[in-house]
Amino acid sequence: PPPPPLPPSGAAPAAKPPSIPSTTLATAALATAADGTTTTISSLGQDQLLDIFLRLPNLPDLVRAALTCRPWLGAVRSSPSFRRLFRAIHPAPLLGIFLKVDDDTAPSFAPLRRSDPVVTAALRRGDFFLTSLPLDDAWTVTDCRDGYILLWNTFWAVAVVNPMTWAVDVISFPDDVADGSLRDFAFLGFHLLTSEENPRSFRVVCLCADVSRVRVAVFSSETSDWAVHPWVEIGGENSLKYGAGTLVDGSVYWPFYGEGRIIRINTATMDVSSLDLPSHTTIDYWQDDFMVGDTKDGELCIAHASDDFLLHVWIRSVGSDGIGIWARQNIVSCSAEIDRVARGLEGQVRVVQVRSGCVYFSMTRMTLAGTQRTWFFYLSLETMEIELLIHGTFDDCAFPYHMAWPPCLIGDDGSTGHEVEASC
């Protein structure tokens, strides 16, 4: 078969899959053995079958192929290494963006590329209007990761929603999370930690702060309980801003505005450390004009949008002396694309999110009628191509949503068969 096409626009380009040996292709076709018996595709070994599955163009096609019969489903469910490789070659398709409308209404979902049958099928069966959420208060999106949406409300509760399966978990905050605070207690943000091998398992990381300290509370779906960790001094007068943190490889990175550093909190060990920001840059340490994230290879990076419509990217690496340094990676001009889609209009450019080598950024401007108009863009750090995703009269608080890996493709009890199809 030919190599797979590029994934849907909005996802990083797929790497070329490993070549299939000619013996595999010969076995896949009908062949007559020396004894006169006929060999069919059902005679393929598991390794040969998974080699062919790697060449499917996207995740929905893998689901349809795996559910064809029990042996094919069992092959996918029993191979974690295959699932990791498939994820690396075929990033999950971007289905849309959750947007903040105002503080009193539920988040709005803007679907993307509805002409794509893969996207359309996912949107039709999912709960992207979040109708399964309780209506006792307005919910605010605070994170999107691996098919889950994390929201919170003023009733001291968070909700973890999987729109594809309609699963909802409403979790009350621990009663003792504010105990021992000095003054100016506040919630700084909430993050999701998910498991590749068990998509039904998740953790919620809650970060709190007072005048000079931070505290982390972690909820586990496996224990249905919170673990509230002790207060930790971070030094200086607290200038951490709500919603400015980023979760990368199990650690939360939070800009410490005004001091030119980033607070790193390891959610496994609860160790707190500091990283200096890149020196001699155009970053204004007092403004939220940069975002911490990661590359496609999982390396820590920083993206910053300057006033002249340039995107600056630094990647954290190790110098010759063994000390971590920020290495300037790219400077990308956005002016041509912004001028093309905004028809000469200019506004403020801001990085919204940096995840797996994808930079999402916005440009906002006030119209003559006094309303805010926003354009959302996507930049791949691998191809350096910029694409307009959506524009309209809304806030620039956005959370891209990618299709989840279906639980039916992961066997946690050794079972296989069509009875799991409904869990997709």
Side-chain angles (χ1 to χ4, degrees):
L6 291 176
S9 183
K16 184 179 181 181
S19 59
I20 298 178
S22 58
T23 54
T24 299
L25 299 177
T27 307
L30 293 178
T32 302
D35 59 2
T37 60
T38 300
T39 302
T40 66
I41 195 170
S42 61
S43 303
L44 290 173
Q46 178 169 305
D47 290 343
Q48 296 169 322
L49 183 65
L50 294 180
D51 278 343
I52 294 175
F53 281 175
L54 281 177
R55 301 180 74 89
L56 293 172
N58 51 50
L59 178 56
D61 283 340
L62 175 63
V63 175
R64 286 190 284 269
L67 292 176
T68 300
C69 60
R70 291 173 183 267
W72 290 14
L73 178 60
V76 175
R77 285 167 63 94
S78 63
S79 179
S81 60
F82 165 77
R83 296 195 295 270
R84 285 192 292 269
L85 182 56
F86 192 93
R87 288 189 184 100
I89 296 175
H90 308 284
L94 177 64
L95 299 186
I97 300 177
F98 281 94
L99 302 165
K100 178 181 177 181
V101 180
D102 56 51
D103 294 332
D104 299 322
T105 59
S108 175
F109 181 75
L112 302 176
R113 285 173 285 278
R114 283 174 288 186
S115 60
D116 187 332
V118 171
V119 174
T120 302
L123 294 174
R124 283 177 176 171
R125 69 180 304 174
D127 182 24
F128 292 97
F129 289 110
L130 306 179
T131 58
S132 52
L133 277 176
L135 299 177
D136 53 359
D137 193 17
W139 294 89
T140 301
V141 178
T142 184
D143 197 5
C144 271
R145 190 178 297 269
D146 298 328
Y148 283 103
I149 309 167
L150 180 63
L151 308 98
W152 80 297
N153 65 18
T154 55
F155 286 171
W156 281 46
V158 292
V160 180
V161 181
N162 186 334
M164 298 298 298
T165 63
W166 291 64
V168 178
D169 292 274
V170 178
I171 307 159
S172 298
F173 293 168
D175 295 333
D176 56 348
V177 69
D179 290 356
S181 61
L182 300 176
R183 60 181 175 86
D184 299 331
F185 173 85
F187 291 108
L188 288 179
F190 309 89
H191 301 277
L192 272 171
L193 281 168
T194 57
S195 169
E196 282 192 356
E197 297 311 318
N198 184 3
R200 299 179 183 89
S201 175
F202 62 85
R203 287 184 291 163
V204 176
V205 178
C206 170
L207 185 64
C208 315
D210 63 15
V211 62
S212 62
R213 303 178 302 173
V214 294
R215 160 178 273 181
V216 175
V218 181
F219 176 87
S220 171
S221 64
E222 297 180 356
T223 63
S224 298
D225 199 8
W226 288 91
V228 181
H229 297 273
W231 289 99
V232 178
E233 286 284 347
I234 58 175
E237 189 75 9
N238 182 0
S239 61
L240 303 181
K241 184 177 179 180
Y242 171 79
T246 304
L247 182 68
V248 176
D249 193 24
S251 293
V252 179
Y253 294 86
W254 220 279
F256 205 126
Y257 296 114
E259 297 195 9
R261 62 187 176 112
I262 301 170
I263 301 296
R264 176 182 181 269
I265 305 170
N266 188 314
T267 60
T269 64
M270 296 303 139
D271 292 336
V272 177
S273 56
S274 293
L275 297 176
D276 291 335
L277 287 172
S279 59
H280 307 295
T281 71
T282 58
I283 294 179
D284 185 348
Y285 293 152
W286 292 96
Q287 302 296 327
D288 56 345
D289 59 353
F290 66 94
M291 186 66 66
V292 181
D294 60 345
T295 67
K296 185 179 179 181
D297 297 326
E299 298 174 297
L300 189 69
C301 66
I302 288 178
H304 157 67
S306 56
D307 293 337
D308 51 0
F309 295 166
L310 295 178
L311 281 178
H312 306 256
V313 180
W314 296 264
I315 294 179
R316 189 71 174 177
S317 60
V318 178
S320 57
D321 54 2
I323 300 177
I325 59 172
W326 291 105
R328 185 183 290 276
Q329 185 71 11
N330 293 296
I331 301 178
V332 184
S333 175
C334 309
S335 58
E337 181 65 14
I338 289 177
D339 184 68
R340 184 185 70 83
V341 301
R343 299 178 182 179
L345 299 176
E346 293 187 359
Q348 181 181 6
V349 178
R350 186 177 75 88
V351 176
V352 175
Q353 186 182 97
V354 184
R355 187 169 294 178
S356 299
C358 303
V359 179
Y360 299 91
F361 64 97
S362 66
M363 187 197 78
T364 59
R365 71 179 301 273
M366 297 301 295
T367 67
L368 296 177
T371 59
Q372 178 172 287
R373 190 165 187 84
T374 302
W375 290 258
F376 283 109
F377 298 88
Y378 157 84
L379 166 70
S380 167
L381 294 180
E382 191 170 20
T383 65
M384 292 296 120
E385 293 181 356
I386 299 174
E387 177 189 347
L388 174 67
L389 296 178
I390 191 174
H391 66 93
T393 53
F394 36 71
D395 199 354
D396 65 345
C397 182
F399 295 87
Y401 179 86
H402 292 79
M403 183 178 178
W405 184 270
C408 65
L409 296 190
I410 298 179
D412 53 5
D413 58 0
S415 65
T416 61
H418 291 286
E419 66 272 13
V420 298
E421 184 171 358
S423 67
C424 288

